[in-house]
Amino acid sequence: MGAEHSIRRIGVLTGGGDCPGLNAVIRAVVKTGILQHGAEAYGILDGYYGLIRNRMRRLNYEDVSGILTLGGTILGTSNRANPFAYVEPDSGDEPRDVSDRCVENFREAGLDVLFCIGGDGTLSIGHGLALKGIPVVGVPKTIDNDICGTDVTFGFDSAVQIVAEAVDRLHTTAMSHQRAMVIEAMGRYAGWLALVGGMAGGGDIILIPEIPYTIENVCRAIEERRDQGKRFHIVVVAEGVRQPDGEYVVRQRVEDSHDKIRLGGVGVWLAARLEEMTDVESRAVVLGHVQRGGSPTAFDRVLATRLGHEAFMQAAGGNFDIMVGVQGPDIVPVPLETVADEQRLVPPDGDLVRAARAVGTSFGDA
Ligand code: F6P
């Protein structure tokens, strides 16, 4: 912990893809600042765009009142504004380093701390700005649950809830029509969302990037179920699962983004293959951004509040270039340089996978 730091004016931004609980963090940081430390708060609009273009707005107590349950982010976000490789939208220019402009805007606004709420891209930019002298405190967010240094990210539980509910609903229609339903979950290159959502919904086959599968094994699992008299099959597949040739199914390429590949579509491919190889009528459901929208669960509201509060307390203690992470029962500071650009994947032999296997879930690997 650094020396006590007087926090009179705070800046807060949300970067990267939105997720449920962002507003709950904004509320917690700003309310802790206003109520407990008499600080003033400024919201930086549209992620790092706001810092680059000096677009900020004052956040009073009333501005953050009533937003605990609200999905999305009242500040707006962006996943293309990187101050270290900035491309003016639609300009066709080469990327430029405009981070000095961010430092100037931060100083001119008289801010004492910058709270960066976001995923690995936002946090790694936050680390870069911290190295240039901005006192940064990060708060990790993502429905993917793949950030190192924290046991869980807010937004994940809300997304799991949506996957589980979708699987529940698809069960009844799969049963009625004797079909295989393939449900594609988000999660980028990590399988947390497909695994936990699939387990919660009682999925029969779960495919995640961390466990290599073969299409033949998936078909075998379906045939075995059919031999046991099961008239339907629920397959949950993570968007980051590769095709047998090792290729990802890509929805879009975005060169000027931290995350250059937008995954999506493996579920449609898989459903077609299964129908072809087993004769079981199959349908694909791509859950997509539904998983990121709407109100956070009670768990995420509380987690986001704890993280926002602790982020402020770390700043008040003079502890910067860190993010706040969940480790066991505690919220602890984690140096940003140790989290940025690394991913936390599902341990293939961990207890989640072992429990799923024990109740008969197939991972397509045997
Ligand atoms: O990182 C969150 C996430 O929702 C991923 O699960 C998904 O792959 C990606 O963002 C989608 O990004 P976009 O909103 O740019 O389509």
Side-chain angles (χ1 to χ4, degrees):
M1 181 77 66
E4 283 291 305
H5 192 81
S6 165
I7 305 287
R8 296 171 315 273
R9 191 174 285 182
I10 70 172
V12 53
L13 64 78
T14 51
D18 70 330
C19 89
L22 284 169
N23 287 321
V25 178
I26 296 168
R27 168 183 177 268
V29 171
V30 172
K31 281 195 174 180
T32 303
I34 294 175
L35 294 178
Q36 302 209 323
H37 297 263
E40 281 179 2
Y42 283 81
I44 293 157
L45 305 182
D46 301 329
Y48 288 110
Y49 271 132
L51 202 57
I52 296 167
R53 297 174 177 167
N54 207 9
R55 293 189 58 235
M56 310 183 185
R57 78 169 164 101
R58 177 80 186 263
L59 292 176
N60 292 314
Y61 183 86
E62 294 69 33
D63 296 312
V64 295
S65 214
I67 64 169
L68 173 65
T69 61
L70 196 65
T73 161
I74 60 164
L75 298 177
T77 186
S78 150
N79 36 22
R80 293 193 185 189
N82 178 354
F84 295 96
Y86 181 63
V87 181
E88 191 66 29
D90 305 322
S91 66
D93 291 349
E94 285 301 302
R96 281 183 307 142
D97 183 343
V98 295
S99 55
D100 286 340
R101 207 197 290 172
C102 293
V103 177
E104 261 167 49
N105 289 337
F106 176 86
R107 297 222 166 106
E108 270 172 23
L111 300 175
D112 298 307
V113 56
L114 178 64
F115 293 102
C116 301
I117 313 170
D120 52 359
T122 304
L123 296 172
S124 96
I125 292 168
H127 174 55
L129 293 175
L131 294 180
K132 295 189 75 107
I134 296 187
V136 168
V137 176
V139 182
K141 73 85 230 198
T142 170
I143 63 164
D144 305 335
N145 202 33
D146 61 350
I147 297 182
C148 291
T150 185
D151 298 347
V152 65
T153 50
F154 74 85
F156 176 62
D157 185 68
S158 304
V160 164
Q161 196 71 39
I162 291 160
V163 175
E165 190 186 331
V167 174
D168 286 353
R169 288 178 183 277
L170 292 165
H171 255 110
T172 56
T173 162
M175 275 174 183
S176 311
H177 289 269
Q178 304 178 40
R179 284 175 175 159
M181 283 289 180
V182 178
I183 299 129
E184 180 183 309
M186 280 186 163
R188 287 201 307 178
Y189 305 101
W192 295 105
L193 189 52
L195 175 60
V196 180
M199 283 175 77
D204 306 307
I205 298 163
I206 300 178
L207 303 183
I208 60 173
E210 294 86 344
I211 302 181
Y213 74 101
T214 67
I215 192 91
E216 290 75 18
N217 286 334
V218 177
C219 293
R220 198 167 306 126
I222 289 180
E223 276 150 11
E224 277 170 18
R225 282 180 55 79
R226 208 167 38 182
D227 293 346
Q228 291 160 8
K230 302 276 172 59
R231 291 157 51 95
F232 69 94
H233 317 281
I234 300 290
V235 183
V236 182
V237 59
E239 64 178 0
V241 163
R242 299 177 200 225
Q243 293 171 303
D245 60 4
E247 294 296 317
Y248 292 111
V249 182
V250 174
R251 172 167 50 90
Q252 193 188 4
R253 288 183 195 273
V254 194
E255 286 310 323
D256 56 349
S257 165
H258 174 80
D259 200 7
K260 300 203 176 340
I261 291 177
R262 300 282 190 274
L263 298 167
V266 68
V268 175
W269 166 81
L270 185 62
R273 292 296 288 137
L274 295 182
E275 183 163 304
E276 212 173 270
M277 292 172 72
T278 62
D279 268 345
V280 174
E281 199 183 349
S282 305
R283 295 285 188 273
V285 178
V286 180
L287 297 179
H289 292 79
V290 168
Q291 294 158 103
R292 287 204 335 219
S295 186
T297 57
F299 177 87
D300 275 337
R301 294 175 197 182
V302 175
L303 177 58
T305 303
R306 292 172 66 203
L307 289 167
H309 163 254
E310 187 56 35
F312 191 94
M313 297 316 291
Q314 290 294 331
N319 204 9
F320 300 112
D321 198 9
I322 53 118
M323 69 165 200
V324 284
V326 181
Q327 292 186 8
D330 301 315
I331 309 272
V332 297
V334 182
L336 278 179
E337 67 176 341
T338 65
V339 298
D341 288 330
E342 268 207 58
Q343 267 185 311
R344 199 175 69 90
L345 299 176
V346 173
D349 299 318
D351 80 289
L352 274 171
V353 173
R354 282 186 278 123
R357 286 193 198 278
V359 296
T361 309
S362 163
F363 287 88
D365 56 342

